[in-house]
């Protein structure tokens, strides 16, 4: 891939600097690749020109979403929002890590060490804490991003609930409120982020199928026929994945997998890489996690055929080249997304459209 020294989200700047000054690199130029002709792909009732985009994470506001549209990413996702303002974890939030080959679960438990610089094949760890503006600020900005979609393009809105220590019912209703606020922006497709740490839980929410079933049911009662995706982490257990998909596929319209693989990350001298409490372990993404995303898509597709269900699968994880995209499509994904790969290669969508 054409590695670019300045990614569109600059890890050397703070989250606030990126939001206010970004995007950077090629995303900041005027070169646009508009779609030509009638879009031929149908995705969750929307006509799109390509089934490739950017997942929740590196597009924190409408400026970034608009730039993604200009560069031909037809399915960009607005970074996860909340029902109340939430601060970002301390800087730095993105650091390069050294990984030889695949980041297997066994290798992840052994911990990783930071690298001196960002070099291909890109492997990073990130720790943002799912920051969010107040809805009074993100709602009009998200609406602007929704309306910026060009021919054959659609923005997907990511959101999540927050556990504020007020009990399960309050947690469920915070998700419902978040869904309502997102729907008010006019978003045509929504994604519930179940794959980032939720305050007050020792495990990821996507691994609590009972609670997810309750939350998803309440959200769908609120948003009606607006398509809803669920963002998942890696499921080690086939039994757990089967149960999750069996119970949730009758409620929601699709699933995205995966987010990151968790690992402790230290500097070469042994110090914790990311400053602050509860930040020794963070999410690793980039080329070394492709195996996990690809495996999840294959397993989900096999379960889909076994259950004879019609949900869509969005493949995410380690996509840095057109070949990666093709492998995800062959595995059964209806759409494919790239975060880290796209950050360092603004031409990736155009390259994929050429294969």
């Amino acid at each position: 891939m054409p590695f670019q020294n300045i990614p569109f989200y600059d890890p050397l700047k703070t989250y606030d600097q990126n939001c206010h000054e970004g995007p950077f690199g090629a995303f900041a130029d005027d070169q646009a690749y508009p779609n030509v002709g009638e879009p031929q792909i149908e995705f969750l009732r929307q006509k799109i020109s390509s089934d490739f985009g950017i997942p929740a994470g590196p597009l924190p506001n409408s400026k970034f979403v608009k730039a993604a549209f200009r560069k031909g990413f037809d399915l960009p996702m607005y970074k996860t929002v909340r029902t109340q303002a939430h601060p970002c974890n301390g800087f730095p939030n993105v650091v390069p890590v050294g990984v030889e080959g695949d980041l297997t679960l066994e290798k992840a438990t052994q911990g990783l060490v930071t690298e001196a610089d960002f070099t291909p094949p890109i492997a990073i760890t990130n720790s943002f804490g799912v920051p969010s503006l107040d809805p009074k600020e993100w709602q009009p900005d998200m609406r602007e991003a929704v309306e910026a979609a060009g021919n054959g393009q659609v923005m997907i809105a990511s959101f999540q609930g927050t556990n504020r220590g007020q009990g399960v019912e309050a947690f469920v209703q915070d998700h419902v409120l978040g869904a309502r606020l997102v729907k008010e922006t006019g978003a045509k497709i929504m994604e519930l982020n179940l794959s980032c740490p939720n305050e007050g839980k020792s495990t990821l929410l996507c691994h609590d199928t009972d609670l997810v079933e309750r939350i998803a049911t309440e959200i769908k009662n609120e948003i009606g026929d607006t398509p809803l995706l669920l963002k998942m982490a890696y499921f080690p257990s086939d039994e757990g994945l089967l149960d999750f998909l069996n119970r949730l596929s009758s409620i929601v319209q699709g699933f995205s997998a995966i987010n990151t693989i968790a690992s402790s990350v230290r500097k070469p001298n042994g110090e914790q890489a990311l400053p602050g409490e509860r930040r020794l372990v963070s999410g690793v993404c980039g080329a070394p996690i492709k195996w996990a995303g690809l495996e999840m898509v294959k397993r989900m597709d096999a379960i889909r055929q076994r259950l004879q269900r019609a949900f869509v699968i969005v493949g995410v994880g380690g996509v840095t080249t057109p070949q990666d995209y093709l492998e995800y499509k062959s595995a059964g994904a209806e759409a494919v997304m790239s975060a880290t790969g796209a950050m360092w290669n603004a031409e990736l969508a155009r390259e994929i459209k050429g294969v």
Side-chain angles (χ1 to χ4, degrees):
M1 75 179 192
F3 180 78
Q4 293 157 355
N5 290 327
I6 304 177
F8 67 72
Y9 181 99
D10 190 347
L12 303 183
K13 298 181 183 294
T14 68
Y15 180 72
D16 285 344
Q17 286 176 319
N18 272 278
C19 289
H20 293 123
E21 302 170 14
F24 302 98
F27 261 38
D29 66 31
D30 295 326
Q31 181 65 60
Y33 308 116
N35 292 318
V36 178
E38 189 72 20
Q40 300 297 315
I41 302 171
E42 185 165 326
F43 179 74
L44 296 175
R45 304 203 313 269
Q46 300 298 315
K47 287 289 189 178
I48 54 175
S49 294
S50 71
D51 47 19
F52 184 67
I54 298 175
L59 304 177
N61 57 38
S62 62
K63 294 188 299 178
F64 284 78
V65 173
K66 290 176 182 177
F69 279 141
R70 288 197 302 272
K71 293 301 180 183
F73 294 88
D74 294 331
L75 288 174
M77 195 174 301
Y78 196 106
K79 185 173 172 65
T80 308
V81 293
R82 301 180 187 244
T83 61
Q84 295 181 25
H86 193 82
C88 182
N89 286 343
F91 180 82
N93 302 105
V94 179
V95 297
V97 294
V99 183
E100 290 291 335
D102 292 340
L103 179 60
T104 63
L105 300 185
E106 180 181 1
K107 191 179 294 185
T109 63
Q110 299 169 3
L112 299 174
V113 178
T114 59
E115 292 280 290
D117 201 1
F118 298 94
T119 55
I122 288 289
I124 64 173
T125 191
N126 74 88
S127 171
F128 288 90
V130 195
S132 176
L133 296 174
D134 185 273
K136 292 181 180 178
E137 296 179 82
W138 65 251
Q139 272 193 307
D141 187 68
M142 181 180 284
R143 186 176 297 111
E144 187 172 334
V146 170
E147 295 171 352
N151 175 44
Q153 299 179 324
V154 61
M155 191 212 81
I156 303 175
S158 175
F159 70 102
Q160 76 171 52
T162 304
N163 186 340
R164 308 185 197 281
Q166 299 171 334
V168 173
E169 181 59 28
F171 187 42
V172 172
Q173 292 308 312
D174 194 66
H175 282 84
V176 174
L177 175 58
R180 182 185 312 141
L181 293 170
V182 169
K183 180 157 184 170
E184 289 173 357
T185 69
K188 296 178 176 63
I189 301 173
M190 298 162 60
E191 181 180 272
L192 173 59
N193 188 352
L194 305 172
S195 59
C196 288
N198 288 269
E199 299 83 349
K201 289 189 65 64
S202 59
T203 58
L204 296 176
L205 182 55
C206 62
H207 293 144
D208 187 340
T209 302
D210 290 340
L211 184 52
V212 173
E213 185 176 30
R214 181 178 172 187
I215 290 172
T217 299
E218 294 283 350
I219 288 175
K220 286 301 293 180
N221 288 339
E222 175 66 33
I223 67 175
D225 62 357
T226 300
L228 179 65
L229 298 167
L230 300 183
K231 181 64 173 291
M232 305 158 59
Y234 182 80
F235 274 59
S237 164
D238 284 339
E239 182 180 355
L241 181 58
L242 173 61
D243 182 51
F244 186 91
L245 296 179
N246 183 41
R247 292 163 63 178
L248 273 301
S249 61
S250 62
I251 302 170
V252 305
Q253 286 63 58
F255 304 90
S256 301
I258 63 170
N259 189 338
T260 62
I261 293 179
S263 178
S264 61
V265 181
R266 299 181 184 275
K267 298 177 182 178
N269 64 6
E271 292 180 2
Q272 181 174 315
L274 299 169
E277 296 183 5
R278 297 187 297 277
R279 295 185 75 201
L280 173 61
V281 176
S282 51
V284 178
C285 46
I289 73 166
K290 173 186 163 186
W291 73 269
L294 201 57
E295 181 194 291
M296 276 285 285
V297 169
K298 292 177 181 177
R299 291 161 63 200
M300 292 164 71
D301 183 53
I303 291 172
R304 175 169 59 182
Q305 295 179 50
R306 173 179 171 183
L307 297 175
Q308 297 185 321
R309 302 285 172 82
F311 59 82
V312 304
I313 299 173
V314 180
V316 189
V319 178
T320 62
T321 68
Q323 180 59 36
D324 296 331
Y325 161 83
L326 293 174
E327 289 181 39
Y328 269 95
K329 290 293 293 181
S330 296
E334 275 71 41
V336 182
M337 295 189 177
S338 170
T340 308
M343 279 174 60
W344 272 272
N345 180 11
E347 304 292 310
L348 186 55
R350 189 169 68 92
E351 293 172 5
I352 286 173
K353 288 177 177 180
V355 300

